[in-house]
Amino acid sequence: MTGVIEKEEKAEAMTGADIVIRALKEQGVDTIFGYPGGAVLPIYDAIYQSGAGDIRHILVRHEQGAGHAAEGYARSTGKCGVALVTSGPGATNMVTPIADAMMDSIPMVVLTGQVPSHLIGTDAFQECDTVGITRCCAKHNYLVLDTDDLARTIHEAFYVATSGRPGPVVIDIPKDIQFAKGLYQTRQSVHLPTYRPQTEPNLTKIEAAVRLMKAAKRPVFYTGGGVINSGDAASTALRKLQALTGFPVTSTLMGLGAFPATHKDWLGMLGMHGSYEANNAMHDCDLMICVGARFDDRVTGRIDAFSPGSKKIHIDIDPSSINKTVRVDLPIIADCAKALNALIETWQKDNSAPPSLVAWQQEIALWRGRKCFTYQEDKQLIKPQYAIERLYELTKSRNTYITTEVGQHQMWAAQHYHFDEPNRWMTSGGLGTMGYGLPAAIGVQVAHPDALVIDIAGEASVQMVMQEMSTAVQHDLPIKIFILNNEWMGMVRQWQQLLHGERYSHSYSDALPDFVKLAEAYGGMGLLCNHPGDLDAQIEAMIAYNGPVIFDCRVTKDENCLPMIPSGAAHNQMILGEIVGDEIDEKGKALV
Amino acid sequence: MSEPDPQNMPASAYDMSHAEERDERRTLAIMVDNEPGVLARVVGLFAARGYNIESLTVAEVDETRHRSRITIVTSGTPHTLEQIEAQLLRLIPVGKVTDITNSKRGVERELALFKVSGSGEKRVEALRIAEIFRARVIDTTNASFIFELTGASDKIDQFRELMRPLGLVELSRTGVLSIKRGAEKG
Ligand SMILES: Cc1ncc(C[n+]2csc(CCOP(=O)(O)OP(=O)(O)O)c2C)c(N)n1
Ligand SMILES: [Mg+2]
């Protein structure tokens, strides 16, 4: 370490603000999403002076937008997202995206301004305890109190955010530290002796896993967001291992795209609104191979009835995910790509023939035959599922990225839009943040200027972040906001129908704006569609328009999102048809 | 984690409600980078995830490498205790977590200061008991003593109970310190 400092000591001291820019450049950052304010003005000045060419700054309209945009950028590129906001309200507005990135393991570095260090603790103007507030919702955070530490801290933050199980890292920088001069340190200065993520799998365990796999009669791969986070190598390895084994594959909401949805062995998403075949395969399997997923309650349903007859292999980079909610037989702590490649190698070396999967495949075919995503078609009104189906058909051959808000539309998107590649699907899974999709789409579009980026939205969610339409217009980001407008907080309405005797307390989307006029007011294009016969043409018009679009797709208002595993029920107790009202027992009602 | 042969194991037990699992008491030694806020991270984790803290001590033990040792006495089911360790290790400045429960593996000590006031028979009796416990008198006035006592927590509890009727005014204790037995490092 000392070598680095010595070398740099000959260099001229630079201001903290310049150090920030230089460190970001050294980290390969090309885009920052941010919003200025008093406590970050020196950094904004450095951005101004370094010229627009080097790092692109995307000015948002609310700091939450900067955070979700950075998440969208990160999720669609595999790189680290970066956001820059001021102290106090700027930092508190960032808390939601930080918590969101933590839950979904999204690599993100957030730079927050802080009041000058001598004022910390005095309730100064726009002071808040940013490290205190974000301590429990970020992977790590720093308060920098010496300009000489600034560069190293930034490099450490990027390393922590992107390695191991990725997550958000916050760096709080008092204003005087941005003005003061200090020495620059390169990324070789990173010194984190207590942080060493384990990425290499234990080979004895890999061999034990292959033994289980070679003996399995009813195996299933249960994959998650970790496969996406691990990078293209992991998706490639998953496909290869699946081709070798022929095992069926299901995935969590976060893992969609790691395995092609058009593959014959794809079971669809699992969990609360997952497919009948995926959930039954999970319930009845004799071997579950969990790769980069965490047995979330939305996935397992009733935990004491979860997959009762299976042995479970769990591959995860985070040791705390092992045995957290479900006890597993064989934990493998490793990076997904490395573990999957090791499994491939070991599988190929072992020339014993695995048992036939024909009986298992036949059973799965029967479940598949239920066609659980079927819905009642309508000639006069647009069914939300139909809208997603048409959107998929008309965009699947393009270079398309999908983001979503949170609610029924999100689940319909997961069910009816199909992903064949990783990093194409951006959604708020763990935190379930309404208002994620529009700013995330902005982040995706910045990273992929020529792609078709669509936010599949609900009319309620999108109003939480509507102002970011202005960001899209300012930065020439031709995102498409495809609103499944059912005039309800549909998912809330569905739960009130299911659980609260159809007492629809405050879940109606009243006083909706005219979305077409709203789009025009922002300088984008608005489209309205309320007839299935017009849908294709309108979607084509949306795609053809070179600019941001708000598409107000009026869908049937009382549609329920099915199938569904009600709270407190097991995987094999799905509601397939219509909701009657007595599906959930008292215990289930207390669950979320 | 020791490696049972997965081939010969029964299918997993899935109910993690652990109705049958009983709470156990553990003393954990947590080695951390002594950076600002590290104690808040550790304590915050216990608070946020609903884990117990029965006692906590912390001080820097390696000045050159800025390492502190946090000793936490906690309790929970075996499953919770396993999670506590894994969650602690997720914190970036946490280097190592060792289970040094007072048993074959480790020794535990606490230091306590007792202020006892009284006169006559009670004063004599307090001094007599202090001698039995090998407590040291570190301050004395005509009306009071301050005793210093080191020992396992139950010894300190016992002394407290004996002092109570003899004029116990105030008690201050450090919480548990622990170290592993034998020649090796913890
Ligand atoms: C920030 C936030 N607040 C509240 C919720 C709870 N919630 C979940 S879905 C939902 C309704 C969403 O309505 P809409 O966006 O119209 O989607 P729909 O379900 O109708 O498709 C609400 C209020 C949430 N997920 N996020
Ligand atoms: Mg709605």
Side-chain angles (χ1 to χ4, degrees):
Chain A
M1 285 338 111
T2 44
V4 181
I5 296 168
E6 273 165 27
K7 199 169 69 206
E8 290 298 328
E9 251 161 6
K10 295 191 191 88
E12 226 177 304
M14 50 202 296
T15 67
D18 286 334
I19 288 175
V20 170
I21 301 302
R22 184 162 162 198
L24 293 179
K25 282 185 191 163
E26 189 184 335
Q27 288 292 336
V29 173
D30 54 20
T31 311
I32 305 176
F33 301 91
Y35 207 91
V40 278
L41 286 182
I43 297 176
Y44 271 87
D45 205 31
I47 292 174
Y48 188 88
Q49 301 206 20
S50 82
D54 286 287
I55 295 180
R56 184 170 185 200
H57 179 274
I58 304 291
L59 178 69
V60 294
R61 297 297 179 271
H62 182 294
E63 287 86 354
Q64 182 187 357
H68 294 318
E71 287 186 88
Y73 176 95
R75 192 76 177 162
S76 67
T77 58
K79 294 201 282 184
C80 189
V82 181
L84 169 64
V85 298
T86 192
S87 66
T92 55
N93 277 346
M94 272 300 298
V95 170
T96 299
I98 292 169
D100 192 272
M102 186 68 179
M103 288 289 254
D104 287 342
S105 307
I106 308 295
M108 173 163 82
V109 168
V110 177
L111 303 164
T112 56
Q114 182 55 278
V115 301
S117 46
H118 66 274
L119 290 179
I120 290 178
T122 65
D123 300 318
F125 178 62
Q126 294 193 329
E127 178 183 0
C128 75
D129 177 7
T130 303
V131 287
I133 291 170
T134 59
R135 194 175 284 132
C136 54
C137 61
K139 182 174 176 186
H140 196 45
N141 62 17
Y142 298 89
L143 170 64
V144 182
L145 290 171
D146 183 340
T147 310
D148 282 342
D149 293 337
L150 186 53
R152 180 180 44 81
T153 305
I154 294 171
H155 296 311
E156 282 185 10
F158 275 88
Y159 176 61
V160 170
T162 54
S163 59
R165 179 174 176 180
V169 179
V170 178
I171 312 173
D172 201 25
I173 315 174
K175 193 170 181 179
D176 55 325
I177 302 297
Q178 300 170 33
F179 275 126
K181 290 207 165 175
L183 296 177
Y184 185 77
Q185 286 179 272
T186 64
R187 61 195 301 171
Q188 275 77 40
S189 60
V190 169
H191 181 60
L192 289 164
T194 53
Y195 176 67
R196 279 190 219 91
Q198 182 180 334
T199 57
E200 294 293 338
N202 172 325
L203 287 181
T204 325
K205 292 188 172 195
I206 293 289
E207 282 160 12
V210 169
R211 277 203 301 279
L212 287 172
M213 289 164 70
K214 287 262 172 162
K217 296 194 179 81
R218 299 191 308 280
V220 65
F221 280 115
Y222 150 44
T223 64
V227 182
I228 312 271
N229 280 335
S230 178
D232 280 346
S235 299
T236 309
L238 174 65
R239 290 158 195 232
K240 203 168 157 196
L241 183 61
Q242 195 282 331
L244 284 172
T245 59
F247 293 177
V249 185
T250 180
S251 156
T252 66
L253 181 72
M254 295 310 292
L256 297 178
F259 190 75
T262 46
H263 194 286
K264 70 173 176 42
D265 291 318
W266 170 243
L267 297 170
M269 178 176 78
L270 83 166
M272 186 173 267
H273 293 290
S275 78
Y276 186 67
E277 49 272 33
N279 286 325
N280 275 292
M282 287 287 282
H283 191 266
D284 285 1
C285 65
D286 67 353
L287 179 67
M288 179 185 297
I289 307 148
C290 169
V291 192
R294 59 185 177 91
F295 297 94
D296 173 80
D297 56 79
R298 283 292 178 276
V299 157
T300 59
R302 198 176 122 194
I303 204 96
D304 60 357
F306 176 67
S307 195
S310 65
K311 294 205 176 159
K312 299 177 180 66
I313 300 171
H314 188 182
I315 300 170
D316 205 298
I317 201 161
D318 176 6
S320 78
S321 290
I322 306 289
N323 292 336
K324 184 168 67 179
T325 56
V326 168
R327 228 189 258 298
V328 296
D329 304 277
L330 183 62
I332 300 177
I333 295 165
D335 169 60
C336 289
K338 292 189 171 165
L340 289 168
N341 280 316
L343 287 172
I344 291 170
E345 235 178 81
T346 312
W347 177 280
Q348 285 173 328
K349 264 192 244 150
D350 177 336
N351 32 30
S352 66
S356 158
L357 299 178
V358 170
W360 180 228
Q361 283 158 348
Q362 282 168 349
E363 214 173 324
I364 289 172
L366 285 180
W367 292 323
R368 242 191 246 284
R370 293 292 291 266
K371 296 199 183 312
C372 66
F373 295 134
T374 318
Y375 55 91
Q376 207 85 58
E377 282 172 37
D378 197 309
K379 288 270 166 307
Q380 295 309 311
L381 300 169
I382 304 175
K383 288 284 185 156
Q385 303 93 326
Y386 177 74
I388 304 281
E389 264 175 31
R390 293 318 301 158
L391 189 68
Y392 172 64
E393 288 304 326
L394 297 171
T395 59
K396 67 179 178 189
S397 54
R398 293 172 179 270
N399 178 17
T400 309
Y401 292 80
I402 302 289
T403 71
T404 77
E405 308 293 337
V406 170
Q408 291 180 317
H409 62 276
Q410 175 189 31
M411 292 299 118
W412 282 317
Q415 293 173 342
H416 297 276
Y417 203 99
H418 307 294
F419 298 90
D420 285 342
E421 289 170 57
N423 305 98
R424 297 283 169 161
W425 162 249
M426 273 52 58
T427 194
S428 171
L431 199 66
T433 311
M434 291 170 71
Y436 167 89
L438 166 45
I442 285 177
V444 175
Q445 189 82 74
V446 170
H448 309 276
D450 301 323
L452 175 61
V453 183
I454 305 171
D455 169 27
I456 296 179
E459 83 295 334
S461 295
V462 78
Q463 289 190 82
M464 290 205 172
V465 287
M466 197 68 242
Q467 73 283 350
E468 300 304 336
M469 183 68 181
S470 171
T471 308
V473 171
Q474 180 190 342
H475 300 280
D476 295 320
L477 303 169
I479 57 165
K480 317 298 178 203
I481 304 167
F482 190 79
I483 304 175
L484 291 186
N485 185 350
N486 54 9
E487 289 180 24
W488 284 92
M489 297 174 195
M491 193 57 96
V492 173
R493 189 203 53 71
Q494 177 168 343
W495 279 58
Q496 287 171 333
Q497 179 182 357
L498 198 62
L499 289 154
H500 297 279
E502 305 187 28
R503 292 179 297 279
Y504 299 123
S505 181
H506 300 277
S507 52
Y508 182 65
S509 287
D510 216 330
L512 280 176
D514 178 330
F515 283 110
V516 172
K517 279 191 188 152
L518 193 59
E520 285 162 4
Y522 275 115
M525 180 171 81
L527 289 169
L528 176 78
C529 186
N530 48 24
H531 195 278
D534 302 336
L535 190 57
D536 281 18
Q538 293 286 69
I539 290 175
E540 294 287 13
M542 173 183 87
I543 297 169
Y545 184 70
N546 183 21
V549 177
I550 299 180
F551 190 116
D552 185 358
C553 186
R554 302 284 175 88
V555 297
T556 47
K557 302 189 204 315
D558 52 1
E559 195 74 19
N560 283 319
C561 184
L562 294 167
M564 177 176 187
I565 303 176
S567 307
H571 271 170
N572 60 349
Q573 298 173 315
M574 295 196 84
I575 309 174
L576 281 170
E578 259 317 290
I579 289 179
V580 192
D582 60 354
E583 286 84 354
I584 301 189
D585 61 15
E586 285 308 313
K587 234 172 116 189
K589 283 184 188 175
L591 300 171
V592 285
Chain B
M1 250 168 277
S2 67
E3 250 351 282
D5 177 8
Q7 295 280 9
N8 300 318
M9 276 175 10
S12 328
Y14 306 101
D15 188 357
M16 303 292 271
S17 63
H18 306 284
E20 75 294 352
E21 285 195 355
R22 299 244 309 278
D23 278 8
E24 293 172 14
R25 191 173 162 279
R26 289 284 167 82
T27 306
L28 302 177
I30 307 160
M31 294 301 297
V32 299
D33 244 357
N34 187 15
E35 48 155 67
V38 64
L39 185 60
R41 284 183 213 284
V42 170
V43 173
L45 184 146
F46 275 74
R49 294 188 184 263
Y51 306 146
N52 291 323
I53 297 183
E54 287 177 13
S55 102
L56 182 149
T57 68
V58 56
E60 193 167 83
V61 290
D62 182 342
E63 280 163 40
T64 45
R65 292 193 304 157
H66 299 290
R67 293 294 171 79
S68 288
R69 182 175 178 123
I70 301 176
T71 307
I72 290 187
V73 180
T74 181
S75 62
T77 63
H79 167 249
T80 307
L81 293 165
E82 192 183 308
Q83 266 294 302
I84 290 176
E85 188 175 332
Q87 293 293 347
L88 280 169
L89 287 168
R90 266 179 100 187
L91 299 177
I92 309 298
V94 170
K96 197 171 174 195
V97 180
T98 324
D99 177 357
I100 316 193
T101 308
N102 197 3
S103 65
K104 277 170 243 127
R105 272 197 269 180
V107 284
E108 295 182 357
R109 285 295 177 269
E110 238 189 298
L111 172 73
L113 301 176
F114 293 83
K115 184 178 286 181
V116 179
S117 95
S119 56
E121 264 309 296
K122 284 193 175 173
R123 193 169 153 85
V124 177
E125 179 67 359
L127 202 57
R128 202 180 63 80
I129 293 173
E131 265 168 34
I132 296 170
F133 275 76
R134 295 203 191 92
R136 292 200 310 142
V137 178
I138 57 172
D139 179 68
T140 176
T141 67
N142 285 337
S144 69
F145 289 120
I146 295 175
F147 296 118
E148 175 196 308
L149 179 62
T150 322
S153 302
D154 53 352
K155 178 175 164 185
I156 290 170
D157 293 346
Q158 230 180 335
F159 190 71
R160 179 192 57 204
E161 292 317 305
L162 291 167
M163 285 300 123
R164 230 190 264 283
L166 302 176
L168 179 64
V169 176
E170 207 178 332
L171 163 62
S172 172
R173 55 202 284 183
T174 55
V176 172
L177 290 178
S178 69
I179 206 155
K180 210 166 156 185
R181 290 177 195 272
E184 276 115 66
K185 203 172 161 185

